[in-house]
Amino acid sequence: MDLSAINPVLLIASLMVAATPILLAGIGELVVERAGVLNLGVEGMMITGAICGFAIAVNTGSPFAGFVAAAVGGAALSLLFALLTQVALANQVASGLALTLFGLGLSSLLGQGYVGIKPPATGRLEIPVLSDLPFVGRILFGHDLMVYFGIAVVAVVWAFLKFTRAGLILRAVGESHDAAHALGYKVKRVRVMAIMFGGACAGLGGAYISLVRVPQWTEGMTAGAGWIALALVVFASWKPWRVLLGAYLFGGVTVLQLNLQAAGLAIPVEYLSMSPYLITILVLVIMSADKSRAPASLGRIFHASQ
Amino acid sequence: MTGTDILLSIRGLTKAYPGVVANSDVSFDIGRGEVHALLGENGAGKSTLVKMIYGLVKPDSGEMTLNGLPYAPAEPQAARAAGVAMVFQHFSLFDALNVAENIALGMADPPKMRDLATRIRDVSEQYGLPLDPYRTVGDLSAGERQRVEIVRCLLQDPKLLIMDEPTSVLTPQEVEILFATLRKLSAEGTAILYISHKLEEIRALCDEATILRLGKKVATCTPRDTTAREMAELMVGSELHVPERAGKAPGAVRLALNGLSVRSPSEFGTSLKDITLEVRSGEVLGLAGVAGNGQDELLAALSGEITGARGMVVLDGTEIGNTGPNVRRRMGLLTAPEERLGHAAAPDMSLTENALLTGAEREGLVSNGFLKWGKARDFAKAIIERFDVRTPGTENAARSLSGGNLQKFVIGREVLQRPEVLVVNQPTWGVDAAAAAVIRQAILDLAEGGTAVIVISQDLDELMEVSDRFAALNEGRLSEVVPAKGLTVEQIGLMMGGSHGMEVAHV
């Protein structure tokens, strides 16, 4: 075994890349759940975003257009969920599961002509002096723009929920939709918008996998990342910065165990493969032992008549 | 009242829902600074009427004028902008948010949080309702939560304040503080539309009363010059039957609690601390207390939903503190919890199934694990007949019954099982006067027949009517148990914990 083969700079830099898909999907789902909606279709929206982004990026040659298309695709699929749960008042758990299955099927249909193609490369941030700094330069300034975008979204969501009136209304809707309705707030409109934001974020997360992380298209390539994002939100106690922490922890252990596998550590591969899930859940369970709790109206169907 | 003194004028408001006319041609006026009472039984249409004034419901026909101008709010924001504010019966607050955030949500254009906090402090102290803007609402007492609602309204300088049953959750001392605030507001020219079942309160506070029955206005009166009994009869439309009881010496001790202490299973619940009491055969013990002082936990500890040490609960000399609900039911300790839908009854199951759920043991509705549907149906039918439950039949879902009818059903279900000891929590909550009288009479008849009864209630008038002995729960502790006869409202208030350490109004 040769641990010296593991380069800490590369390790940190690649964990940020590995974490970005679940970070984006997780922060989107966090907003959805804070509005009181449980959308289990994250996986389906991610994979749909992955193929929409991939197809548009390949056809236009522009990764930027690809990411925009991924956000639109994810949001469009989430609109279906919004229609089912907010207008037709269907059960959220069943609708979410259906959305995942539908997204997986739809994406393989859309992706038939795209297997084995290489997408255009997504640009990296290159700042002349800073990016060349030893150690920190590679970690802080050498990534593609989506990594920074993911962190920015976390910061914006945090500030939105904490400081703005719209954020307060969103939290109020998630806490008690009846009380929010009695005060005259449009519960359904708020929730539909939150669901679409969640869909767009999940789509971006999926496209990051197909355009940057892998980068190519294969069926079912999100491989459960949407479920990890869902679990992340719960174990992060619905707090934005904890989603970031959880995502980086998960990404970090994932990258580290791959490195350890490559270095030939004398632990069966199966144990290494399960370690990111175990460690992330363990840490976040310990952290969520404080008094924080789920939004009170989470998963409950709102009907305006009273 | 001259034309210029009229603030809100209502003419011919009508609102029909499928199958029921909630309001039919209702007209009345509210003057500036007037405290106007709106009276009526459950289902008389009071809530629908105020929802139309507050813009939550659109009237089918009729019109309103506010300050002489046409007034037809399309949504609550429009009503608030016009100067109409409302304090809800079931508080419309968000437990996880703090006081200032809750208040900001009720304002059209809230100032910055820091300025808002200062204004909350100023206004709340000015009206004798001190509040800390940064406390989480979930941790506040019922009285304090109501203050949040009232202060939220006051910050918008309302011309008309609507209050829907504001005193049902308050101790007598808290009611006094509230009334002092309302009188000050009225003196400053704010009109108040006050909805309540409590007629004595209306006599003490209101200048004028409009009485609704089955959606129609049936009378107007001046509460100060009308007796509570007269008003009640106007509401019901017939003579009121007052429950009767025969004085009788109590028998042997049936149920004893010895130092009962249990932790509340819920996060915002109240743990019970060292409760000791006994109830005798033929006796009704009344337990008062503001909601959330351990009533639900006490009921759960008696029913067997929460178990404790063996000796804490003793029924007829047998220690049963560690046994579950079925064992206790079999021995004759029956309970009826407060929450009708979801706790006392399964909302989506039929009345027969609901009758089976608690009656299986004592009524012999199960044999060798198989259900006896015929017998269960007969039992449900018997409850419906004996307690005049208005429903098409035994196969209707519990959810489809109105609150009062379902309450009659869940209380009747326990009463008909010939309990040795019966514990009821809020037996007449949300039930109209006539049905409440039926339920209270059934409780008294049961005691007459030798059952020991514990009635937990927030309605003091009810407790004084049925109880032989009286005690109060305050933060999970039980006060001294005293004879109910001759107790004054002040004494009861002190037993309930006075004003919960809240400051008395300085107005």
Side-chain angles (χ1 to χ4, degrees), chain B residues 150-383:
Chain B
I150 296 173
V151 169
R152 173 157 78 188
C153 293
L154 294 185
L155 280 175
Q156 342 225 9
D157 268 329
K159 297 192 202 74
L160 174 67
L161 182 63
I162 305 171
M163 304 202 78
D164 195 355
E165 304 221 13
T167 59
S168 52
V169 293
L170 304 183
T171 65
Q173 276 78 1
E174 288 170 332
V175 170
E176 269 314 306
I177 299 174
L178 173 68
F179 279 15
T181 305
L182 294 183
R183 288 196 185 100
K184 181 171 153 87
L185 274 171
S186 153
E188 289 173 358
T190 306
I192 295 163
L193 182 59
Y194 188 91
I195 302 175
S196 177
H197 282 306
K198 299 190 180 171
L199 301 170
E200 287 302 336
E201 283 179 3
I202 284 174
R203 294 192 62 223
L205 182 73
C206 301
D207 304 316
E208 175 117 340
T210 296
I211 298 167
L212 296 179
R213 190 194 314 149
L214 299 173
K216 293 197 180 70
K217 183 174 112 170
V218 290
T220 317
C221 65
T222 307
R224 287 185 229 295
D225 307 334
T226 315
T227 66
R229 193 183 170 90
E230 281 166 349
M231 284 194 280
E233 287 175 0
L234 284 171
M235 278 161 59
V236 181
S238 63
E239 267 192 50
L240 203 61
H241 169 78
V242 178
E244 291 164 18
R245 61 197 313 191
K248 190 176 139 187
V253 174
R254 305 304 296 272
L255 177 76
L257 301 184
N258 302 318
L260 175 71
S261 301
V262 290
R263 277 179 63 90
S264 171
S266 84
E267 191 188 333
F268 289 117
T270 308
S271 298
L272 298 177
K273 296 161 196 110
D274 196 24
I275 291 182
T276 300
L277 59 80
E278 45 188 42
V279 206
R280 291 167 181 276
S281 177
E283 176 187 59
V284 180
L285 172 65
L287 295 183
V290 175
N293 273 293
Q295 288 95 330
D296 295 343
E297 288 78 6
L298 180 60
L299 188 114
L302 287 171
S303 71
E305 288 165 72
I306 310 177
T307 51
R310 261 180 73 99
M312 283 180 178
V313 184
V314 182
L315 179 66
D316 287 334
T318 316
E319 296 187 339
I320 55 166
N322 59 344
T323 58
N326 282 340
V327 176
R328 296 190 192 191
R329 286 194 166 277
R330 213 173 301 136
M331 293 176 68
L333 171 55
L334 304 186
T335 54
E338 171 186 5
E339 174 85 41
R340 286 188 282 263
L341 283 173
H343 197 175
D348 291 317
M349 294 176 90
S350 72
L351 294 179
T352 305
E353 288 167 319
N354 272 297
L356 242 171
L357 284 174
T358 76
E361 292 283 346
R362 281 181 80 77
E363 292 296 308
L365 306 179
V366 179
S367 77
N368 300 325
F370 287 94
L371 305 176
K372 294 182 176 171
W373 283 113
K375 227 174 155 188
R377 210 162 289 131
D378 291 343
F379 179 47
K381 225 175 262 165
I383 302 168

Side-chain angles (χ1 to χ4, degrees), chain A residues 2-209:
Chain A
D2 182 15
L3 283 179
S4 64
I6 301 174
N7 177 343
V9 174
L10 275 179
L11 186 75
I12 296 174
S14 53
L15 84 82
M16 293 173 78
V17 171
T20 298
I22 54 170
L23 175 64
L24 281 166
I27 198 71
E29 179 67 11
L30 179 134
V31 171
V32 178
E33 293 193 11
R34 286 298 282 266
V37 179
L38 182 66
N39 184 354
L40 294 182
V42 180
E43 178 81 3
M45 300 185 300
M46 278 185 91
I47 192 89
T48 304
I51 185 57
C52 289
F54 190 85
I56 298 298
V58 166
N59 286 329
T60 61
S62 153
F64 177 74
F67 279 111
V68 170
V72 171
L77 194 64
S78 72
L79 201 57
L80 181 67
F81 176 82
L83 197 72
L84 286 172
T85 59
Q86 303 304 307
V87 181
L89 305 181
N91 179 292
Q92 295 181 0
V93 171
S95 306
L97 293 174
L99 195 72
T100 288
L101 296 174
F102 178 65
L104 287 169
L106 182 71
S107 63
S108 16
L109 180 72
L110 292 175
Q112 274 176 350
Y114 293 96
V115 179
I117 301 177
K118 227 180 139 44
T122 306
R124 283 176 184 282
L125 184 70
E126 292 292 347
I127 304 172
V129 184
L130 293 176
S131 298
D132 298 331
L133 286 175
F135 199 73
V136 286
R138 182 73 184 86
I139 293 174
L140 291 180
F141 303 106
H143 292 287
D144 57 88
L145 292 170
M146 287 309 285
V147 169
Y148 305 106
F149 180 75
I151 299 169
V153 169
V154 173
V156 168
V157 165
W158 169 76
F160 170 79
L161 290 176
K162 195 168 166 73
F163 298 116
T164 70
R165 178 163 176 78
L168 179 61
I169 292 171
L170 184 126
R171 283 190 286 148
V173 166
E175 275 305 319
S176 167
H177 47 219
D178 291 325
H181 175 70
L183 287 173
Y185 293 110
K186 308 273 184 254
V187 173
K188 285 184 185 177
R189 190 184 300 169
V190 170
R191 287 192 167 164
V192 169
M193 276 158 46
I195 290 169
M196 289 181 68
F197 176 79
C201 283
L204 286 176
Y208 191 81
I209 299 180

Side-chain angles (χ1 to χ4, degrees), chain B residues 442-459:
Chain B
I443 290 171
L444 289 175
D445 290 348
L446 209 55
E448 184 80 353
T451 302
V453 185
I454 298 180
V455 178
I456 306 170
S457 177
Q458 287 162 46
D459 184 342

Side-chain angles (χ1 to χ4, degrees), chain A residues 223-225 228 250 253-254 272-282:
Chain A
I228 297 293
F250 182 80
V253 184
T254 306
L272 286 173
S273 305
M274 72 171 78
S275 61
Y277 304 90
L278 282 179
I279 292 173
T280 308
I281 287 176
L282 207 66

Side-chain angles (χ1 to χ4, degrees), chain A residues 162 165 168-169 171-173 175-177 179-186 291 293 306, chain B residues 51 54 56 75-77 80 88 92 94 96-97 101 104-108 110 152 267:
Chain A
K162 195 168 166 73
R165 178 163 176 78
L168 179 61
I169 292 171
R171 283 190 286 148
V173 166
E175 275 305 319
S176 167
H177 47 219
H181 175 70
L183 287 173
Y185 293 110
K186 308 273 184 254
K291 265 185 72 181
R293 58 191 190 88
Q306 31 182 317
Chain B
K51 278 180 186 165
Y54 193 57
L56 275 167
E75 52 179 15
Q77 271 99 336
R80 287 201 292 265
F88 290 88
S92 60
F94 305 93
L97 307 182
E101 287 174 328
L105 279 167
M107 299 175 79
R152 173 157 78 188
E267 191 188 333

